[in-house]
Amino acid sequence: MAIQSSPPAPPARPYKSVAVIGAGPSGLSAVKALNDEKAFDVIRVFERRDRVGGTWIYDPEPTPFPSPSVDPAPASNTPPETLPAFTSPLPEDATRRTGLYSYLDSNVGIEAMEFTYASHPKINSALSIRRFGFDNPTRPWQVVAGYLEDIFAKYVHQVTFDTTVERVSKDVVTGRWDVVLRRSGVSWKGEQRDHWWTETFDAVVVATGHYNIPNIPAIPGLQSWYDLWPERLEHSKQFRSREEYSGKSVVVVGGSVSASDFVMDLHRSVKAPLIISQRGLNANPALENVWKIPHVVQKPTIARVTTENGGTVEFSDGTKAVGVDKIIFATGYRLSYPFLVPNPVTDKNRLAGFYRHVFNIEDPSLTVIGQVRAALSLRNYEYQAVAVARVLAGRGNLPSQAEQKDWEEKLLAVRGPTHQFHTIAPDFKEYFDGLRAIAGPPAEGSEGYELPPYDDDWTLKGFRVLELKDQYAQRLLAKNDGSGLADEGRLLAKL
């Protein structure tokens, strides 16, 4: 009598429950990719705001400028000794407010910024049409926000809103992640309270973005200026309307996209000249003509600021601007993951120990989506998320730990140890196709899909906005009659 053997048991899934932190574009990418795999019992998303959208949420009231003597990156709040618990409400963390202003348009070509599976509506703002023509590749922020909400609708039941992740740590005994959570605005015994509790997960996906903490350079005299005129110091995250600068003497610090937007917005309405202070006078070659448009003067880095003569800014070339009403720092952001234990952010503003800026090399059950620069944003997050979901589902092709460490060491030698380490441009093909190789093909029975190979046309479409901005700057230069610069001699003088 033949013995009938049982079919082999399917391989055990390494991770059955996943926490996603953040409900912005990278969080959306994560929750969709995880759901598509059909491999997880629990997928939870925790969002500290009351809606989805992340950096595409509009806050009329911006984040206040931070005191130069205080670290602007908030530490995680200390949980009560015993959980769950109710406590008095903690004050709002103002760094969660976004940097959108009411007429902001996307600065990446929309065909490359969107996900591969869904297109943005073809809607342009009146301002972008005046500058760049009909059917240009920008979109108003409202269109992008609506696009994200429409896609997120399928997964919003998995999101817990008004909930801050305060601590994420690995339990060495259970091998699972303890996530300490705090939900604000909970009514308890007739009062508004904060509710604290802990949940445990097999894996954690951090999708909080990196546009929260303003980066302010250390400049001698800045604290004295702040003590006297805090309202005259701003970071690009605080910009809300060009009307606030009309007729004022303004210095913009920075050499990239945000700085160029402010220059184009303000050059004709501020008291001439509009001064742009940069580390390198041609920091971004694609924007070179923007710094030359009418009523704009380029200066090197700021050596110091003083409160003399109504506000004086001294530059490293020995010149100074007097009577300055506003200094706008378009100087980027600092990385911040204060809830992670241990904190992986170095003192030079780099996320250390993450392969492809995504997978924790020591423990792949901890991943980060969205920690990249110059990367075609949403599409990049999609590729990161699909790779993460398939690795967590036991289907991905993550290389050995030694190979991952070797990748980090080699990239450090090229990019250096600062936030520039996370820059993807110009190596788009290598990066996208590398994630695609990790993800591999979709599994049978899942809702996954084949990630398309990288197409060089994506880069052209993505940076088309910079080309249009350059063409617009050239038209302004062609119309320049030299007027409006009569006050330059008063503002700029040799020390």
Side-chain angles (χ1 to χ4, degrees):
M1 179 179 176
I3 299 176
Q4 191 172 18
S5 60
S6 301
R13 286 183 282 140
Y15 309 111
K16 296 181 180 180
S17 61
V18 186
V20 178
I21 307 174
S26 49
L28 167 58
S29 301
V31 71
K32 181 187 184 304
L34 291 165
N35 276 282
D36 283 352
E37 289 303 303
K38 303 296 181 185
F40 307 100
D41 297 335
V42 176
I43 302 169
R44 297 283 304 282
V45 183
F46 300 105
E47 168 56 48
R48 62 181 178 173
R49 304 293 298 266
D50 62 355
R51 71 201 74 175
V52 303
T55 193
W56 293 97
I57 295 173
Y58 173 66
D59 289 306
E61 186 69 24
T63 302
F65 191 89
S67 169
S69 63
V70 177
D71 188 344
S76 278
N77 298 296
T78 303
E81 290 186 6
T82 303
L83 297 178
F86 289 93
T87 65
S88 298
L90 290 172
E92 179 208 7
D93 173 12
T95 65
R96 73 178 193 164
R97 302 176 195 168
T98 70
L100 292 187
Y101 46 94
S102 60
Y103 56 94
L104 179 138
D105 289 308
S106 61
N107 56 29
V108 176
I110 207 66
E111 289 180 271
M113 195 179 86
E114 64 195 10
F115 301 121
T116 61
Y117 54 81
S119 297
H120 285 272
K122 295 183 178 180
I123 300 172
N124 291 120
S125 70
L127 177 62
S128 72
I129 291 172
R130 287 200 300 271
R131 288 179 174 177
F132 309 136
F134 290 98
D135 300 321
N136 70 73
T138 71
R139 292 293 184 272
W141 70 263
Q142 297 93 331
V143 172
V144 180
Y147 171 82
L148 297 172
E149 288 177 334
D150 288 344
I151 299 172
F152 224 130
K154 184 178 179 180
Y155 314 104
V156 74
H157 64 283
Q158 295 172 282
V159 184
T160 302
F161 292 104
D162 297 311
T163 300
T164 301
V165 174
E166 296 287 3
R167 182 181 174 91
V168 175
S169 58
K170 190 74 172 281
D171 188 317
V172 296
V173 176
T174 66
R176 305 186 78 209
W177 292 95
D178 292 330
V179 180
V180 177
L181 302 154
R182 178 177 60 86
R183 187 170 189 179
S184 56
V186 177
S187 181
W188 182 251
K189 295 184 177 180
E191 296 181 351
Q192 292 294 298
R193 310 286 279 178
D194 283 356
H195 179 220
W196 297 72
W197 76 101
T198 302
E199 295 189 25
T200 59
F201 297 88
D202 297 324
V204 174
V205 180
V206 180
T208 53
H210 55 278
Y211 298 111
N212 297 311
I213 312 300
N215 178 55
I216 308 296
I219 296 174
L222 197 62
Q223 183 66 52
S224 296
W225 187 307
Y226 176 86
D227 292 340
L228 187 61
W229 305 309
E231 74 284 355
R232 290 165 65 176
L233 295 173
E234 293 185 355
H235 184 267
S236 57
K237 193 179 182 186
Q238 296 173 264
F239 186 93
R240 288 297 181 270
S241 171
R242 71 190 86 183
E243 306 303 327
E244 298 175 20
Y245 310 91
S246 298
K248 295 180 179 179
S249 301
V250 178
V251 174
V252 176
V253 183
S256 196
V257 177
S258 292
S260 71
D261 286 344
F262 299 148
V263 167
M264 295 177 70
D265 261 4
L266 303 177
H267 72 284
R268 287 200 178 276
S269 59
V270 300
K271 186 183 295 182
L274 171 60
I275 300 171
I276 179 78
S277 169
Q278 299 172 331
R279 183 180 295 113
L281 292 185
N282 288 310
N284 189 331
L287 299 170
E288 183 177 352
N289 284 316
V290 175
W291 320 129
K292 299 175 182 178
I293 62 178
H295 316 296
V296 176
V297 170
Q298 276 184 284
K299 301 302 293 182
T301 54
I302 296 175
R304 69 169 183 152
V305 298
T306 74
T307 57
E308 299 172 358
N309 301 312
T312 298
V313 178
E314 300 179 6
F315 301 98
S316 57
D317 66 351
T319 60
K320 62 183 178 181
V322 299
V324 174
D325 298 309
K326 288 275 191 180
I327 304 176
I328 306 174
F329 291 94
T331 46
Y333 294 83
R334 289 173 48 183
L335 280 61
S336 180
Y337 301 101
F339 48 84
L340 290 180
V341 180
N343 192 329
V345 178
T346 70
D347 57 0
K348 292 189 177 180
N349 204 30
R350 181 179 77 89
L351 183 67
F354 282 76
Y355 177 63
R356 299 271 175 183
H357 318 287
V358 176
F359 298 93
N360 184 277
I361 295 173
E362 300 296 333
D363 186 347
S365 67
L366 176 64
T367 55
V368 174
I369 296 176
Q371 184 50 65
V372 282
R373 303 176 70 253
L376 304 182
S377 56
L378 272 65
R379 184 157 300 184
N380 200 299
Y381 307 160
E382 175 188 350
Y383 276 60
Q384 290 180 336
V386 172
V388 164
R390 292 188 185 158
V391 166
L392 295 181
R395 300 164 178 163
N397 304 301
L398 202 60
S400 70
Q401 193 177 81
E403 291 175 282
Q404 294 178 53
K405 290 180 177 179
D406 182 62
W407 172 88
E408 183 177 37
E409 290 172 2
K410 288 180 178 178
L411 191 62
L412 271 171
V414 175
R415 301 282 191 200
T418 69
H419 66 287
Q420 296 291 345
F421 174 83
H422 301 293
T423 302
I424 302 304
D427 303 319
F428 293 105
K429 180 175 176 57
E430 189 276 336
Y431 188 73
F432 274 84
D433 285 350
L435 291 172
R436 183 171 179 265
I438 294 171
E444 186 177 351
S446 74
E447 294 183 1
Y449 54 94
E450 188 83 33
L451 288 171
Y454 179 77
D455 187 335
D456 287 334
D457 196 40
W458 296 355
T459 307
L460 298 177
K461 291 178 178 178
F463 292 103
R464 176 62 178 154
V465 178
L466 293 183
E467 294 179 12
L468 292 171
K469 188 176 290 186
D470 179 72
Q471 293 169 14
Y472 177 68
Q474 290 185 51
R475 292 197 299 273
L476 292 175
L477 280 167
K479 296 177 181 178
N480 183 21
D481 59 4
S483 64
L485 297 178
D487 290 334
E488 182 175 347
R490 180 182 63 80
L491 287 168
L492 297 171
K494 273 287 184 185
L495 286 174

